[in-house]
């Protein structure tokens, strides 16, 4: 960091000890710039790279910038995106892709460069441009994009499970057989790669690191049914709360976290019986 010339005032710098930095001579960050490099990420700035006032550089994976490239006021670079589904935006889980910018480029004021973009050498990018795809060398870019609005479609029915375990009995079977039912699986911590793999199902939404009580209440209120199918203990008396909210609770023998005649209990070896009961209930809604 000694090789960066921080001029002016009010710089926000957060460099993780395990990050990898290659900084050329004469790199300059002017006032109100923000630089963040996460653990394990790689930042390579060539000689005389220049960032004007209010620029932001967020590096969670890899950003490379060639020598003598200049960034106008307010340019922002992000090599990552929050993971999201049609229902939920993760707060701390991200998808990443590297950014590569060549030498002798000029990036106009208030432009945004997104993850996965490669920009060649000798490129001029006009002010207020959103760069979301590759730009070849020796190009001039002017952004005149229309606003595109896409729907985040919502399912007809919703199920909810709050868990501290990555083992949810017959989850894959139920998701495959109930395509019109969205399965909301919430955890108050990060989740294992095994549970994360269930995102391959289009009707399973994972909500991780949910500490806010109002979010859990929102998920419970949205649910048409509660699935008490997680192994290990009950989290925050959620099954009792579901019963109190008069949500139908479906569970398997040996997994039920509450003893109540109001819930429906099925043998673990016969998930088709739970499936039939869920279908009967949803058909009544």
């Amino acid at each position: 960091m000694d090789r960066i010339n921080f001029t002016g005032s009010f710089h926000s710098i957060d460099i993780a000890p395990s990050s990898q930095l290659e900084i050329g001579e004469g790199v300059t960050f002017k006032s109100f710039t923000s630089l963040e490099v996460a653990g394990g990420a790689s930042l390579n700035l060539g000689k005389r790279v220049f960032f004007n006032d209010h620029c932001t550089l967020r590096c969670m994976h890899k950003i490379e910038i060639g020598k003598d490239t200049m960034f106008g006021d307010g340019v922002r670079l992000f090599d990552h995106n929050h993971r999201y589904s049609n229902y939920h935006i993760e707060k701390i889980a991200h998808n990443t892709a590297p950014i590569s910018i060549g030498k002798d480029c000029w990036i106009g004021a208030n432009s945004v460069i997104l993850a996965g973009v490669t920009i060649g050498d000798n490129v001029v990018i006009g002010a207020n441009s959103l760069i979301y795809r590759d730009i070849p060398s020796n190009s001039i870019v002017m952004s005149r994009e229309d606003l595109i609005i896409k729907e985040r479609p919502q399912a007809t029915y919703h199920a909810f499970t709050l868990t501290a375990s990555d083992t949810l009995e017959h989850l894959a079977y139920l998701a495959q057989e109930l395509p019109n039912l969205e399965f909301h699986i919430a955890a108050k911590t990060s989740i294992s790669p095994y549970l994360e793999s269930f995102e391959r199902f289009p009707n399973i939404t994972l909500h991780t690191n949910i500490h806010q009580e109002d979010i859990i209440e929102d998920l419970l209120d949205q649910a048409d049914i509660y699935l008490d199918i997680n192994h290990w203990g009950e989290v925050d008396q959620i099954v009792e709360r579901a019963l109190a909210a008069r949500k139908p609770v479906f569970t398997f023998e040996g997994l039920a976290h509450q003893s109540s005649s109001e819930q429906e209990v099925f043998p673990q070896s016969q998930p088709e019986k739970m499936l039939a009961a869920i279908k009967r209930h949803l058909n009544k809604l």
Side-chain angles (χ1 to χ4, degrees), residues 10-278:
F10 301 110
H11 307 97
S12 175
I13 310 300
D14 186 4
I15 308 296
S18 60
S19 61
Q20 301 177 19
L21 303 181
E22 293 186 34
I23 309 297
E25 296 177 359
V27 171
T28 298
F29 282 74
K30 291 194 69 178
S31 295
F32 302 99
T33 47
S34 178
L35 173 61
E36 180 180 351
V37 187
S42 173
L43 175 65
N44 186 337
L45 303 179
K47 295 179 181 179
R48 298 174 298 277
V49 170
F50 175 82
F51 293 90
N52 216 328
D53 294 345
H54 299 280
C55 284
T56 297
L57 195 156
R58 302 268 188 262
C59 179
M60 295 189 69
H61 178 45
K62 184 176 183 180
I63 296 179
E64 299 177 300
I65 301 172
K67 66 179 183 178
D68 293 308
T69 285
M70 301 184 300
F71 295 85
D73 292 66
V75 174
R76 288 165 170 76
L77 289 79
F78 306 96
D79 69 351
H80 57 280
N81 296 296
H82 288 278
R83 296 180 185 176
Y84 69 95
S85 70
N86 289 335
Y87 293 90
H88 177 59
I89 301 171
E90 287 287 348
K91 301 297 189 294
I92 61 175
H94 301 86
N95 295 315
T96 64
I99 292 174
S100 178
I101 302 174
K103 62 183 180 180
D104 297 309
C105 296
W106 175 24
I107 314 300
N110 297 315
S111 294
V112 178
I113 299 173
L114 300 181
V117 164
T118 295
I119 298 172
D121 299 331
N122 194 37
V123 169
V124 175
I125 294 178
N128 293 310
S129 295
L130 175 63
I131 307 303
Y132 57 89
R133 60 184 178 90
D134 294 350
I135 308 297
S137 296
N138 308 309
S139 299
I140 296 176
V141 177
M142 293 172 288
S143 179
R144 295 178 179 173
E145 295 283 341
D146 290 332
L147 191 64
I148 298 173
I149 301 175
K150 294 183 178 180
E151 184 182 5
R152 296 173 74 185
Q154 308 291 288
T156 306
Y157 307 110
H158 302 270
F160 178 41
T161 300
L162 181 62
T163 181
S165 165
D166 67 354
T167 305
L168 285 83
E169 196 69 27
H170 296 300
L171 176 59
Y173 168 77
L174 294 170
Q176 288 173 334
E177 297 298 322
L178 294 164
N180 292 327
L181 179 65
E182 186 75 22
F183 293 75
H184 296 271
I185 311 300
K188 304 188 80 170
T189 62
S190 298
I191 61 175
S192 70
Y194 171 70
L195 185 53
E196 189 174 343
S197 72
F198 281 86
E199 288 185 321
R200 68 187 185 275
F201 293 94
N203 59 331
I204 293 181
T205 297
L206 302 177
H207 305 256
T208 68
N209 295 284
I210 301 298
H211 304 288
Q212 300 84 356
E213 188 61 30
D214 61 308
I215 296 178
I216 294 174
E217 286 296 325
D218 288 344
L219 289 168
L220 182 58
D221 182 64
Q222 174 186 238
D224 296 292
I225 63 173
Y226 187 88
L227 289 179
D228 185 18
I229 60 173
N230 54 296
H231 288 239
W232 300 3
E234 181 183 7
V235 180
D236 290 352
Q237 297 181 307
I238 189 62
V239 180
E240 181 179 343
R241 291 158 61 185
L243 290 167
R246 305 192 67 81
K247 301 291 181 178
V249 175
F250 297 85
T251 187
F252 288 112
E253 292 174 352
L255 294 182
H257 293 97
Q258 294 287 333
S259 298
S260 172
S261 59
E262 298 177 21
Q263 58 189 357
E264 297 195 49
V265 185
F266 304 90
Q268 290 189 37
S269 61
Q270 297 177 301
E272 66 277 4
K273 290 189 175 181
M274 178 185 283
L275 174 65
I278 292 174

